[in-house]
mmCIF file of all heavy atoms in Angstrom:
data_model
loop_
_atom_site.group_PDB
_atom_site.id
_atom_site.type_symbol
_atom_site.label_atom_id
_atom_site.label_comp_id
_atom_site.label_asym_id
_atom_site.label_seq_id
_atom_site.Cartn_x
_atom_site.Cartn_y
_atom_site.Cartn_z
ATOM 1 N N ASN A 1 24.908 25.554 -38.270
ATOM 2 C CA ASN A 1 25.667 25.416 -39.510
ATOM 3 C C ASN A 1 25.829 26.776 -40.175
ATOM 4 O O ASN A 1 25.121 27.737 -39.863
ATOM 5 C CB ASN A 1 24.954 24.440 -40.448
ATOM 6 C CG ASN A 1 25.018 23.006 -39.944
ATOM 7 O OD1 ASN A 1 26.089 22.524 -39.578
ATOM 8 N ND2 ASN A 1 23.884 22.328 -39.910
ATOM 9 N N ASP A 2 26.781 26.857 -41.113
ATOM 10 C CA ASP A 2 27.143 28.145 -41.706
ATOM 11 C C ASP A 2 26.100 28.690 -42.675
ATOM 12 O O ASP A 2 25.933 29.894 -42.801
ATOM 13 C CB ASP A 2 28.492 28.026 -42.436
ATOM 14 C CG ASP A 2 29.646 27.801 -41.475
ATOM 15 O OD1 ASP A 2 29.512 28.197 -40.297
ATOM 16 O OD2 ASP A 2 30.660 27.211 -41.899
ATOM 17 N N LEU A 3 25.399 27.826 -43.379
ATOM 18 C CA LEU A 3 24.489 28.284 -44.423
ATOM 19 C C LEU A 3 23.276 29.015 -43.864
ATOM 20 O O LEU A 3 22.744 28.648 -42.817
ATOM 21 C CB LEU A 3 24.016 27.109 -45.258
ATOM 22 C CG LEU A 3 25.015 26.545 -46.279
ATOM 23 C CD1 LEU A 3 24.473 25.254 -46.863
ATOM 24 C CD2 LEU A 3 25.267 27.558 -47.382
ATOM 25 N N THR A 4 22.840 30.036 -44.589
ATOM 26 C CA THR A 4 21.624 30.775 -44.239
ATOM 27 C C THR A 4 20.549 30.502 -45.288
ATOM 28 O O THR A 4 20.830 30.487 -46.491
ATOM 29 C CB THR A 4 21.917 32.287 -44.177
ATOM 30 O OG1 THR A 4 22.896 32.528 -43.171
ATOM 31 C CG2 THR A 4 20.651 33.065 -43.835
ATOM 32 N N PHE A 5 19.318 30.299 -44.816
ATOM 33 C CA PHE A 5 18.203 29.995 -45.705
ATOM 34 C C PHE A 5 17.134 31.076 -45.594
ATOM 35 O O PHE A 5 16.938 31.652 -44.518
ATOM 36 C CB PHE A 5 17.609 28.625 -45.360
ATOM 37 C CG PHE A 5 18.602 27.515 -45.499
ATOM 38 C CD1 PHE A 5 19.417 27.163 -44.434
ATOM 39 C CD2 PHE A 5 18.755 26.858 -46.706
ATOM 40 C CE1 PHE A 5 20.363 26.159 -44.566
ATOM 41 C CE2 PHE A 5 19.693 25.856 -46.852
ATOM 42 C CZ PHE A 5 20.499 25.502 -45.782
ATOM 43 N N THR A 6 16.445 31.316 -46.705
ATOM 44 C CA THR A 6 15.404 32.335 -46.720
ATOM 45 C C THR A 6 14.030 31.673 -46.715
ATOM 46 O O THR A 6 13.787 30.719 -47.453
ATOM 47 C CB THR A 6 15.521 33.234 -47.959
ATOM 48 O OG1 THR A 6 15.473 32.431 -49.140
ATOM 49 C CG2 THR A 6 16.825 34.005 -47.931
ATOM 50 N N GLU A 7 13.165 32.178 -45.875
ATOM 51 C CA GLU A 7 11.809 31.641 -45.784
ATOM 52 C C GLU A 7 10.958 32.183 -46.926
ATOM 53 O O GLU A 7 11.035 33.365 -47.274
ATOM 54 C CB GLU A 7 11.192 32.015 -44.439
ATOM 55 C CG GLU A 7 9.819 31.418 -44.220
ATOM 56 C CD GLU A 7 9.416 31.447 -42.756
ATOM 57 O OE1 GLU A 7 10.096 30.806 -41.934
ATOM 58 O OE2 GLU A 7 8.419 32.114 -42.457
ATOM 59 N N ALA A 8 10.140 31.321 -47.506
ATOM 60 C CA ALA A 8 9.287 31.721 -48.619
ATOM 61 C C ALA A 8 8.258 32.756 -48.171
ATOM 62 O O ALA A 8 7.677 32.648 -47.091
ATOM 63 C CB ALA A 8 8.578 30.508 -49.204
ATOM 64 N N THR A 9 8.047 33.755 -49.011
ATOM 65 C CA THR A 9 7.039 34.773 -48.744
ATOM 66 C C THR A 9 5.681 34.310 -49.267
ATOM 67 O O THR A 9 5.584 33.349 -50.034
ATOM 68 C CB THR A 9 7.413 36.090 -49.436
ATOM 69 O OG1 THR A 9 7.405 35.877 -50.857
ATOM 70 C CG2 THR A 9 8.791 36.568 -49.006
ATOM 71 N N SER A 10 4.640 35.036 -48.883
ATOM 72 C CA SER A 10 3.298 34.721 -49.381
ATOM 73 C C SER A 10 3.233 34.830 -50.899
ATOM 74 O O SER A 10 2.577 34.015 -51.571
ATOM 75 C CB SER A 10 2.268 35.668 -48.755
ATOM 76 O OG SER A 10 2.183 35.475 -47.366
ATOM 77 N N GLU A 11 3.934 35.819 -51.452
ATOM 78 C CA GLU A 11 3.939 35.996 -52.904
ATOM 79 C C GLU A 11 4.614 34.811 -53.590
ATOM 80 O O GLU A 11 4.155 34.331 -54.633
ATOM 81 C CB GLU A 11 4.670 37.294 -53.265
ATOM 82 C CG GLU A 11 3.943 38.575 -52.855
ATOM 83 C CD GLU A 11 4.039 38.861 -51.353
ATOM 84 O OE1 GLU A 11 4.925 38.275 -50.674
ATOM 85 O OE2 GLU A 11 3.215 39.656 -50.848
ATOM 86 N N GLU A 12 5.700 34.336 -52.999
ATOM 87 C CA GLU A 12 6.409 33.203 -53.590
ATOM 88 C C GLU A 12 5.595 31.909 -53.496
ATOM 89 O O GLU A 12 5.648 31.068 -54.393
ATOM 90 C CB GLU A 12 7.770 33.046 -52.911
ATOM 91 C CG GLU A 12 8.734 34.150 -53.302
ATOM 92 C CD GLU A 12 9.988 34.194 -52.452
ATOM 93 O OE1 GLU A 12 10.039 33.518 -51.401
ATOM 94 O OE2 GLU A 12 10.927 34.907 -52.848
ATOM 95 N N ILE A 13 4.849 31.768 -52.411
ATOM 96 C CA ILE A 13 3.948 30.611 -52.293
ATOM 97 C C ILE A 13 2.922 30.643 -53.417
ATOM 98 O O ILE A 13 2.659 29.627 -54.073
ATOM 99 C CB ILE A 13 3.264 30.608 -50.913
ATOM 100 C CG1 ILE A 13 4.283 30.331 -49.816
ATOM 101 C CG2 ILE A 13 2.130 29.586 -50.870
ATOM 102 C CD1 ILE A 13 3.770 30.579 -48.416
ATOM 103 N N ASP A 14 2.343 31.823 -53.660
ATOM 104 C CA ASP A 14 1.352 31.958 -54.735
ATOM 105 C C ASP A 14 1.959 31.623 -56.097
ATOM 106 O O ASP A 14 1.319 30.969 -56.932
ATOM 107 C CB ASP A 14 0.789 33.380 -54.761
ATOM 108 C CG ASP A 14 -0.194 33.635 -53.629
ATOM 109 O OD1 ASP A 14 -0.742 32.654 -53.095
ATOM 110 O OD2 ASP A 14 -0.401 34.815 -53.282
ATOM 111 N N VAL A 15 3.192 32.078 -56.326
ATOM 112 C CA VAL A 15 3.852 31.799 -57.608
ATOM 113 C C VAL A 15 4.083 30.306 -57.770
ATOM 114 O O VAL A 15 3.813 29.725 -58.833
ATOM 115 C CB VAL A 15 5.190 32.578 -57.710
ATOM 116 C CG1 VAL A 15 5.975 32.104 -58.935
ATOM 117 C CG2 VAL A 15 4.935 34.066 -57.800
ATOM 118 N N ALA A 16 4.577 29.651 -56.718
ATOM 119 C CA ALA A 16 4.862 28.210 -56.789
ATOM 120 C C ALA A 16 3.599 27.412 -57.080
ATOM 121 O O ALA A 16 3.610 26.496 -57.923
ATOM 122 C CB ALA A 16 5.504 27.741 -55.484
ATOM 123 N N VAL A 17 2.501 27.762 -56.412
ATOM 124 C CA VAL A 17 1.256 27.026 -56.630
ATOM 125 C C VAL A 17 0.677 27.332 -58.009
ATOM 126 O O VAL A 17 0.170 26.434 -58.696
ATOM 127 C CB VAL A 17 0.233 27.335 -55.514
ATOM 128 C CG1 VAL A 17 -1.079 26.609 -55.781
ATOM 129 C CG2 VAL A 17 0.777 26.943 -54.152
ATOM 130 N N ALA A 18 0.761 28.576 -58.428
ATOM 131 C CA ALA A 18 0.262 28.935 -59.761
ATOM 132 C C ALA A 18 1.032 28.193 -60.849
ATOM 133 O O ALA A 18 0.438 27.684 -61.811
ATOM 134 C CB ALA A 18 0.366 30.445 -59.973
ATOM 135 N N LEU A 19 2.349 28.125 -60.714
ATOM 136 C CA LEU A 19 3.160 27.382 -61.679
ATOM 137 C C LEU A 19 2.778 25.902 -61.686
ATOM 138 O O LEU A 19 2.692 25.268 -62.745
ATOM 139 C CB LEU A 19 4.645 27.532 -61.339
ATOM 140 C CG LEU A 19 5.322 28.848 -61.729
ATOM 141 C CD1 LEU A 19 6.723 28.912 -61.134
ATOM 142 C CD2 LEU A 19 5.381 28.999 -63.242
ATOM 143 N N ALA A 20 2.555 25.346 -60.495
ATOM 144 C CA ALA A 20 2.172 23.933 -60.403
ATOM 145 C C ALA A 20 0.830 23.677 -61.063
ATOM 146 O O ALA A 20 0.637 22.645 -61.729
ATOM 147 C CB ALA A 20 2.140 23.506 -58.942
ATOM 148 N N ALA A 21 -0.112 24.598 -60.871
ATOM 149 C CA ALA A 21 -1.445 24.430 -61.462
ATOM 150 C C ALA A 21 -1.382 24.457 -62.992
ATOM 151 O O ALA A 21 -2.063 23.670 -63.668
ATOM 152 C CB ALA A 21 -2.381 25.522 -60.947
ATOM 153 N N VAL A 22 -0.566 25.359 -63.541
ATOM 154 C CA VAL A 22 -0.393 25.413 -65.001
ATOM 155 C C VAL A 22 0.337 24.167 -65.487
ATOM 156 O O VAL A 22 -0.023 23.568 -66.506
ATOM 157 C CB VAL A 22 0.371 26.695 -65.402
ATOM 158 C CG1 VAL A 22 0.715 26.662 -66.889
ATOM 159 C CG2 VAL A 22 -0.468 27.932 -65.080
ATOM 160 N N ALA A 23 1.367 23.768 -64.745
ATOM 161 C CA ALA A 23 2.143 22.581 -65.128
ATOM 162 C C ALA A 23 1.279 21.326 -65.137
ATOM 163 O O ALA A 23 1.505 20.413 -65.940
ATOM 164 C CB ALA A 23 3.319 22.397 -64.170
ATOM 165 N N PHE A 24 0.290 21.270 -64.258
ATOM 166 C CA PHE A 24 -0.563 20.091 -64.165
ATOM 167 C C PHE A 24 -1.256 19.775 -65.480
ATOM 168 O O PHE A 24 -1.381 18.610 -65.864
ATOM 169 C CB PHE A 24 -1.599 20.283 -63.053
ATOM 170 C CG PHE A 24 -2.563 19.143 -62.901
ATOM 171 C CD1 PHE A 24 -2.114 17.856 -62.637
ATOM 172 C CD2 PHE A 24 -3.937 19.349 -63.026
ATOM 173 C CE1 PHE A 24 -3.007 16.799 -62.498
ATOM 174 C CE2 PHE A 24 -4.832 18.295 -62.888
ATOM 175 C CZ PHE A 24 -4.364 17.020 -62.620
ATOM 176 N N ASP A 25 -1.688 20.816 -66.186
ATOM 177 C CA ASP A 25 -2.395 20.599 -67.453
ATOM 178 C C ASP A 25 -1.536 19.830 -68.450
ATOM 179 O O ASP A 25 -2.041 19.008 -69.222
ATOM 180 C CB ASP A 25 -2.818 21.941 -68.063
ATOM 181 C CG ASP A 25 -3.938 22.603 -67.275
ATOM 182 O OD1 ASP A 25 -4.675 21.868 -66.583
ATOM 183 O OD2 ASP A 25 -4.059 23.834 -67.326
ATOM 184 N N ALA A 26 -0.236 20.102 -68.427
ATOM 185 C CA ALA A 26 0.672 19.393 -69.345
ATOM 186 C C ALA A 26 1.179 18.094 -68.728
ATOM 187 O O ALA A 26 1.240 17.058 -69.399
ATOM 188 C CB ALA A 26 1.851 20.295 -69.709
ATOM 189 N N TYR A 27 1.522 18.140 -67.450
ATOM 190 C CA TYR A 27 2.177 16.987 -66.828
ATOM 191 C C TYR A 27 1.250 15.777 -66.718
ATOM 192 O O TYR A 27 1.689 14.636 -66.878
ATOM 193 C CB TYR A 27 2.708 17.382 -65.451
ATOM 194 C CG TYR A 27 3.546 16.305 -64.805
ATOM 195 C CD1 TYR A 27 4.703 15.832 -65.422
ATOM 196 C CD2 TYR A 27 3.187 15.762 -63.573
ATOM 197 C CE1 TYR A 27 5.476 14.845 -64.836
ATOM 198 C CE2 TYR A 27 3.958 14.772 -62.976
ATOM 199 C CZ TYR A 27 5.099 14.316 -63.620
ATOM 200 O OH TYR A 27 5.863 13.327 -63.037
ATOM 201 N N LYS A 28 -0.033 16.023 -66.469
ATOM 202 C CA LYS A 28 -0.965 14.895 -66.340
ATOM 203 C C LYS A 28 -1.104 14.111 -67.634
ATOM 204 O O LYS A 28 -1.529 12.948 -67.625
ATOM 205 C CB LYS A 28 -2.339 15.392 -65.874
ATOM 206 C CG LYS A 28 -3.086 16.221 -66.908
ATOM 207 C CD LYS A 28 -4.411 16.737 -66.364
ATOM 208 C CE LYS A 28 -5.150 17.577 -67.399
ATOM 209 N NZ LYS A 28 -6.413 18.137 -66.855
ATOM 210 N N ASN A 29 -0.734 14.755 -68.752
ATOM 211 C CA ASN A 29 -0.851 14.100 -70.055
ATOM 212 C C ASN A 29 0.481 13.545 -70.568
ATOM 213 O O ASN A 29 0.552 13.068 -71.706
ATOM 214 C CB ASN A 29 -1.421 15.084 -71.086
ATOM 215 C CG ASN A 29 -2.875 15.428 -70.794
ATOM 216 O OD1 ASN A 29 -3.662 14.550 -70.452
ATOM 217 N ND2 ASN A 29 -3.230 16.700 -70.907
ATOM 218 N N THR A 30 1.529 13.625 -69.757
ATOM 219 C CA THR A 30 2.786 13.008 -70.171
ATOM 220 C C THR A 30 2.612 11.499 -70.236
ATOM 221 O O THR A 30 1.800 10.914 -69.516
ATOM 222 C CB THR A 30 3.929 13.350 -69.189
ATOM 223 O OG1 THR A 30 3.519 13.028 -67.858
ATOM 224 C CG2 THR A 30 4.309 14.811 -69.279
ATOM 225 N N SER A 31 3.385 10.878 -71.096
ATOM 226 C CA SER A 31 3.282 9.430 -71.268
ATOM 227 C C SER A 31 3.958 8.704 -70.100
ATOM 228 O O SER A 31 4.747 9.287 -69.351
ATOM 229 C CB SER A 31 3.946 9.004 -72.573
ATOM 230 O OG SER A 31 5.362 9.180 -72.492
ATOM 231 N N SER A 32 3.632 7.431 -69.980
ATOM 232 C CA SER A 32 4.264 6.602 -68.954
ATOM 233 C C SER A 32 5.774 6.598 -69.113
ATOM 234 O O SER A 32 6.522 6.688 -68.131
ATOM 235 C CB SER A 32 3.733 5.168 -69.040
ATOM 236 O OG SER A 32 2.345 5.124 -68.809
ATOM 237 N N LYS A 33 6.234 6.517 -70.353
ATOM 238 C CA LYS A 33 7.674 6.504 -70.633
ATOM 239 C C LYS A 33 8.322 7.808 -70.190
ATOM 240 O O LYS A 33 9.402 7.804 -69.589
ATOM 241 C CB LYS A 33 7.900 6.261 -72.122
ATOM 242 C CG LYS A 33 9.368 6.190 -72.517
ATOM 243 C CD LYS A 33 9.528 5.932 -74.014
ATOM 244 C CE LYS A 33 11.001 5.893 -74.398
ATOM 245 N NZ LYS A 33 11.180 5.678 -75.877
ATOM 246 N N GLU A 34 7.664 8.930 -70.462
ATOM 247 C CA GLU A 34 8.229 10.235 -70.101
ATOM 248 C C GLU A 34 8.319 10.398 -68.589
ATOM 249 O O GLU A 34 9.326 10.891 -68.058
ATOM 250 C CB GLU A 34 7.373 11.355 -70.710
ATOM 251 C CG GLU A 34 7.507 11.469 -72.215
ATOM 252 C CD GLU A 34 6.485 12.409 -72.821
ATOM 253 O OE1 GLU A 34 5.349 12.508 -72.286
ATOM 254 O OE2 GLU A 34 6.807 13.042 -73.842
ATOM 255 N N ARG A 35 7.273 9.974 -67.883
ATOM 256 C CA ARG A 35 7.298 10.081 -66.428
ATOM 257 C C ARG A 35 8.380 9.181 -65.819
ATOM 258 O O ARG A 35 9.057 9.554 -64.866
ATOM 259 C CB ARG A 35 5.926 9.733 -65.862
ATOM 260 C CG ARG A 35 5.210 10.951 -65.286
ATOM 261 C CD ARG A 35 3.852 10.572 -64.762
ATOM 262 N NE ARG A 35 2.819 10.900 -65.715
ATOM 263 C CZ ARG A 35 1.542 10.572 -65.596
ATOM 264 N NH1 ARG A 35 1.141 9.870 -64.557
ATOM 265 N NH2 ARG A 35 0.664 10.935 -66.487
ATOM 266 N N ALA A 36 8.508 7.995 -66.367
ATOM 267 C CA ALA A 36 9.532 7.070 -65.882
ATOM 268 C C ALA A 36 10.932 7.644 -66.114
ATOM 269 O O ALA A 36 11.808 7.547 -65.238
ATOM 270 C CB ALA A 36 9.395 5.719 -66.582
ATOM 271 N N GLN A 37 11.151 8.264 -67.257
ATOM 272 C CA GLN A 37 12.443 8.890 -67.530
ATOM 273 C C GLN A 37 12.742 10.004 -66.523
ATOM 274 O O GLN A 37 13.879 10.150 -66.057
ATOM 275 C CB GLN A 37 12.459 9.452 -68.951
ATOM 276 C CG GLN A 37 12.534 8.387 -70.036
ATOM 277 C CD GLN A 37 12.409 8.958 -71.438
ATOM 278 O OE1 GLN A 37 11.884 10.080 -71.634
ATOM 279 N NE2 GLN A 37 12.862 8.204 -72.435
ATOM 280 N N PHE A 38 11.720 10.772 -66.184
ATOM 281 C CA PHE A 38 11.870 11.859 -65.207
ATOM 282 C C PHE A 38 12.275 11.295 -63.844
ATOM 283 O O PHE A 38 13.237 11.756 -63.224
ATOM 284 C CB PHE A 38 10.559 12.635 -65.127
ATOM 285 C CG PHE A 38 10.534 13.763 -64.131
ATOM 286 C CD1 PHE A 38 11.677 14.475 -63.789
ATOM 287 C CD2 PHE A 38 9.323 14.133 -63.523
ATOM 288 C CE1 PHE A 38 11.627 15.527 -62.873
ATOM 289 C CE2 PHE A 38 9.267 15.166 -62.610
ATOM 290 C CZ PHE A 38 10.423 15.861 -62.285
#
């Protein structure tokens, strides 16, 4: 196919996981209604 994709680097993996870990602190406390809306 025509599209080209870029493979994630080690640095980008670290950023993605770090963002997820920070997001967890807030996301785990979202309400049932908020999660359902998402």
Side-chain angles (χ1 to χ4, degrees):
N1 290 312
D2 292 335
L3 284 171
T4 299
F5 300 88
T6 57
E7 184 163 298
T9 64
S10 295
E11 291 76 17
E12 288 168 348
I13 292 168
D14 285 339
V15 171
V17 178
L19 282 171
V22 172
F24 178 58
D25 289 336
Y27 187 59
K28 69 183 180 183
N29 292 318
T30 53
S31 69
S32 298
K33 182 179 179 182
E34 289 170 328
R35 250 179 261 173
Q37 288 174 339
F38 178 30

